[in-house]
Amino acid sequence: MNKIETRIIGLIQMACTNDPKQNLQNAIDSIREAAKKGAQIICLPELFLSSYFCQTENPEHFSLAEPIPGPTSNSLAKLAKELETVLIVPLFEKRTEGIYHNSAVVIDADGSLSGTYRKMHIPDDPCFHEKYYFTPGDNGFISFSTRYGKIGVLICWDQWFPEAARLTALTGAQFLFYPTAIGYQESDRAESPHQIAAWETVQKSHAISNGLFVASVNRFGKEDDLTFWGRSFICNPFGNVLQQANENEAEIIIASCSIPEIESTRQNWPFLRDRRVDTYQNLNKLFLDSDE
Amino acid sequence: MNKIETRIIGLIQMACTNDPKQNLQNAIDSIREAAKKGAQIICLPELFLSSYFCQTENPEHFSLAEPIPGPTSNSLAKLAKELETVLIVPLFEKRTEGIYHNSAVVIDADGSLSGTYRKMHIPDDPCFHEKYYFTPGDNGFISFSTRYGKIGVLICWDQWFPEAARLTALTGAQFLFYPTAIGYQESDRAESPHQIAAWETVQKSHAISNGLFVASVNRFGKEDDLTFWGRSFICNPFGNVLQQANENEAEIIIASCSIPEIESTRQNWPFLRDRRVDTYQNLNKLFLDSDE
């Protein structure tokens, strides 16, 4: 196969501690290892610099936020340039005093910033108090042109919304990355296999419906009441898993993606040809109450 | 569990021959059997009255179409009233000379017609020449109030479009039925396990994303170049399969659906709460070309 027809993705499944410096060093070491294995596009998990602080509402945690560009993106931009890899770096972003986002910056293989995605769908559930910390993104659904292809990024809770995957695909994304921090509460342990299955099913369905590669990278390990379930995976446009990590260990997942599969899959099952865009306007409504 | 809190669904997985009378009789026999097993809402496969005539483009096949109401819906309305079951009856509908639809009529348990869904997304692929026969529906995505709940109906190719599932869910559907005629060409036999997996994944994802029950009913058997793969199934709002048929036999699938699961699932994973309806307007576009 011609070199230009494949792209190699690397996902860094890691545990995250309370020490941002240690987490960054772990990430850098893993990025180097992934690059050594040939990875051209490398993605870290959501909020990898810290433990998942959203389990409680505590104003002191805002001090974890940093601007983009800022110290972490500058440091990893140098690494991207050195290794000639594209990096997807999720960060707790301080946009200004009082506006914080759950973001991911895409760094091109020359070290330049391709752009920043700001999480659009923000959860708020027991142990996931994200609405307290993060203003929902106002830049919409976007993909970023990089040396190794057009990259869409969505973050964690976004993964449950087919609208988000579709809109990102329509911007021309070849890859859809989901940096994630998902786990189960202790009280849901028995239910967790179903939760994990649903999480995999929904993300594979985005690959299938949109005919693109999906790469989801989660942290692992127990933090207070949450057990993050790992299971990071990469699937092709047919929804077939190319590589998947286990539930409970640090792993670097590498998969070679055959770019022409995007076109052959879309030609074979031409969903994008047949969307009824004349009839979707009610997707802008929360609910279609019968009295309207 | 209180009786009113469960609804029993029956799916009729059948083979279809060239003889509409025989197919109708088979359907009636199976509906009686499903009702005897307690089914309250019973769904037949797409275009169950005939072999899958869309494998070729032949104007003689238009003679298979009938109006709604018409002979088949009248006949099955009597049966619905007798058995006190809701019936979902897919028909090749003649709306007027020159306008034909791939439709499904919903018959309430008192024999009245609740309404007709006309397939919105029409495929056209080798062996599936549906754009020749069927005008795309102009009634949009709807659900029907019946004695046993609010029923959304989508047909076959619609199943690949998350927009269709979402819009139907937003009309208040508790159940999403997919009467289907899907199979693989002989040349794709080796690929068929992947096709079947993708088909199941995407439909389960609609249950999960929307928090409702999904019931998909397919025909089985070989017709010319196509092998229809059966595998009819019912899954809960978490995407867990409650019952599923085999690939290659006539089966009546019965599942009891716990209605409160809709609310508990949606409270537990509140996706409908968090849709960014302020940012979905581009779903009305086919593609977001970079020069726009």
Side-chain angles (χ1 to χ4, degrees):
Chain A
M1 194 176 284
N2 193 308
K3 195 185 169 192
I4 207 166
E5 290 191 323
T6 64
R7 295 302 184 202
I8 300 175
I9 289 179
L11 302 182
I12 311 297
Q13 177 169 304
M14 56 190 279
C16 304
T17 72
N18 285 322
D19 180 352
K21 275 189 195 164
Q22 186 195 319
N23 295 326
L24 181 60
Q25 191 56 53
N26 285 350
I28 290 171
D29 294 345
S30 298
I31 288 168
R32 288 191 180 280
E33 193 180 330
K36 208 174 284 179
K37 291 179 174 171
Q40 297 166 308
I41 309 169
I42 299 172
C43 186
L44 295 164
E46 183 184 18
L47 300 169
F48 76 100
L49 274 183
S50 59
S51 59
Y52 184 70
F53 55 85
C54 312
Q55 291 199 52
T56 59
E57 299 192 0
N58 182 344
E60 289 179 12
H61 293 324
F62 286 109
S63 65
L64 292 166
E66 61 176 285
I68 299 174
T72 304
S73 65
N74 289 341
S75 161
L76 291 175
K78 280 181 206 154
L79 186 66
K81 186 176 179 182
E82 178 199 330
L83 301 174
E84 298 199 63
T85 57
V86 171
L87 297 181
I88 301 164
V89 180
L91 290 171
F92 184 14
E93 180 190 4
K94 178 178 181 171
R95 190 170 173 184
T96 188
E97 293 87 341
I99 301 183
Y100 305 87
H101 293 288
N102 187 331
S103 300
V105 57
V106 178
I107 305 172
D108 207 351
D110 64 358
S112 65
L113 303 193
S114 299
T116 300
Y117 170 74
R118 291 170 172 146
K119 188 172 181 175
M120 292 287 285
H121 298 93
I122 308 293
D124 203 286
D125 298 296
C127 293
F128 292 88
H129 299 283
E130 295 200 15
K131 288 193 201 293
Y132 173 72
Y133 293 103
F134 309 126
T135 299
D138 60 346
N139 287 343
F141 305 94
I142 38 185
S143 56
F144 303 94
S145 294
T146 71
R147 187 186 296 179
Y148 299 122
K150 205 149 183 200
I151 291 174
V153 182
L154 294 165
I155 300 176
C156 202
W157 192 239
D158 289 323
Q159 63 211 171
W160 302 101
F161 298 83
E163 293 91 343
R166 178 71 93 204
L167 286 165
T168 308
L170 295 183
T171 66
Q174 299 167 300
F175 311 93
L176 198 45
F177 284 88
Y178 286 101
T180 295
I182 193 165
Y184 52 84
Q185 291 177 263
E186 211 40 52
S187 57
D188 284 341
R189 180 176 284 275
E191 273 297 296
S192 68
H194 296 303
Q195 294 184 347
I196 295 171
W199 177 76
E200 292 174 356
T201 296
V202 159
Q203 291 178 97
K204 286 183 205 171
S205 83
H206 301 324
I208 299 164
S209 300
N210 295 293
L212 44 62
F213 292 90
V214 165
S216 182
V217 52
N218 192 16
R219 67 175 65 193
F220 77 94
K222 194 158 184 339
E223 301 179 22
D224 297 323
D225 195 44
L226 288 176
T227 301
F228 296 93
W229 65 56
R231 302 287 295 162
S232 305
F233 71 92
I234 301 166
C235 74
N236 74 7
F238 215 64
N240 292 328
V241 171
L242 302 176
Q243 293 291 338
Q244 182 155 23
N246 290 318
E247 260 187 71
N248 202 26
E249 52 187 322
E251 282 189 63
I252 296 171
I253 298 298
I254 305 276
S256 179
C257 299
S258 166
I259 301 303
E261 274 184 31
I262 295 172
E263 184 155 31
S264 61
T265 304
R266 290 182 184 180
Q267 287 178 354
N268 195 41
W269 279 357
F271 310 137
L272 294 185
R273 179 192 65 192
D274 288 336
R275 294 175 65 241
R276 290 293 305 274
V277 293
D278 56 322
T279 65
Y280 292 162
Q281 59 276 7
N282 278 338
L283 291 169
N284 295 330
K285 303 271 180 65
L286 277 181
F287 194 64
L288 302 167
D289 306 85
S290 53
D291 56 344
E292 277 188 307
Chain B
M1 194 176 287
N2 193 308
K3 196 185 170 192
I4 207 168
E5 291 191 324
T6 65
R7 296 303 185 199
I8 301 174
I9 290 179
L11 302 181
I12 312 297
Q13 176 169 305
M14 56 189 279
C16 304
T17 72
N18 284 322
D19 181 352
K21 275 190 192 160
Q22 186 196 318
N23 296 326
L24 181 59
Q25 192 54 54
N26 285 350
I28 289 171
D29 294 345
S30 297
I31 288 168
R32 287 190 180 282
E33 194 179 331
K36 209 173 284 179
K37 291 178 174 171
Q40 297 167 307
I41 308 169
I42 299 172
C43 185
L44 295 164
E46 183 184 16
L47 299 168
F48 76 99
L49 274 183
S50 59
S51 59
Y52 185 70
F53 55 84
C54 310
Q55 290 200 53
T56 59
E57 299 192 359
N58 182 343
E60 289 178 12
H61 292 324
F62 285 108
S63 65
L64 292 166
E66 61 176 283
I68 299 173
T72 303
S73 65
N74 289 340
S75 160
L76 291 176
K78 279 182 204 152
L79 186 65
K81 186 176 180 181
E82 177 199 330
L83 301 175
E84 297 199 65
T85 57
V86 171
L87 298 181
I88 301 164
V89 180
L91 290 170
F92 183 15
E93 180 189 5
K94 178 177 180 170
R95 190 170 175 185
T96 188
E97 294 87 342
I99 301 184
Y100 305 86
H101 293 288
N102 187 332
S103 299
V105 57
V106 177
I107 305 172
D108 206 350
D110 63 0
S112 64
L113 302 194
S114 298
T116 300
Y117 170 74
R118 291 169 173 147
K119 187 172 181 174
M120 292 288 285
H121 298 93
I122 308 293
D124 202 287
D125 299 295
C127 293
F128 292 87
H129 299 282
E130 294 200 16
K131 288 191 200 293
Y132 173 73
Y133 293 102
F134 309 126
T135 298
D138 60 345
N139 287 344
F141 304 94
I142 39 185
S143 57
F144 305 94
S145 294
T146 72
R147 185 185 298 178
Y148 299 122
K150 205 150 182 199
I151 292 175
V153 182
L154 295 166
I155 301 177
C156 204
W157 193 238
D158 289 321
Q159 62 212 172
W160 302 101
F161 298 83
E163 292 93 343
R166 178 72 92 206
L167 285 165
T168 307
L170 294 183
T171 67
Q174 299 168 299
F175 311 94
L176 197 44
F177 284 88
Y178 286 102
T180 295
I182 193 166
Y184 52 85
Q185 290 178 264
E186 212 40 52
S187 56
D188 284 340
R189 180 176 285 274
E191 272 298 295
S192 67
H194 296 302
Q195 294 184 346
I196 294 170
W199 177 76
E200 292 174 358
T201 295
V202 159
Q203 290 177 97
K204 286 182 207 171
S205 83
H206 301 325
I208 298 164
S209 301
N210 295 292
L212 43 62
F213 292 90
V214 164
S216 181
V217 52
N218 192 17
R219 65 175 67 192
F220 77 94
K222 194 161 185 337
E223 300 180 23
D224 297 324
D225 195 43
L226 287 176
T227 301
F228 296 93
W229 66 55
R231 303 287 294 161
S232 304
F233 70 94
I234 301 166
C235 73
N236 74 6
F238 216 63
N240 291 329
V241 171
L242 301 175
Q243 293 290 339
Q244 182 155 25
N246 290 318
E247 260 188 71
N248 202 26
E249 53 188 322
E251 282 188 62
I252 296 172
I253 298 298
I254 305 275
S256 179
C257 301
S258 167
I259 300 304
E261 275 185 31
I262 295 172
E263 186 156 31
S264 61
T265 304
R266 290 181 184 181
Q267 286 179 354
N268 196 39
W269 280 357
F271 310 136
L272 295 185
R273 179 193 64 191
D274 287 337
R275 295 176 63 241
R276 289 294 305 274
V277 293
D278 55 323
T279 65
Y280 293 163
Q281 59 276 9
N282 278 338
L283 290 169
N284 295 329
K285 302 271 180 68
L286 278 181
F287 195 64
L288 302 167
D289 306 85
S290 52
D291 54 345
E292 275 187 308

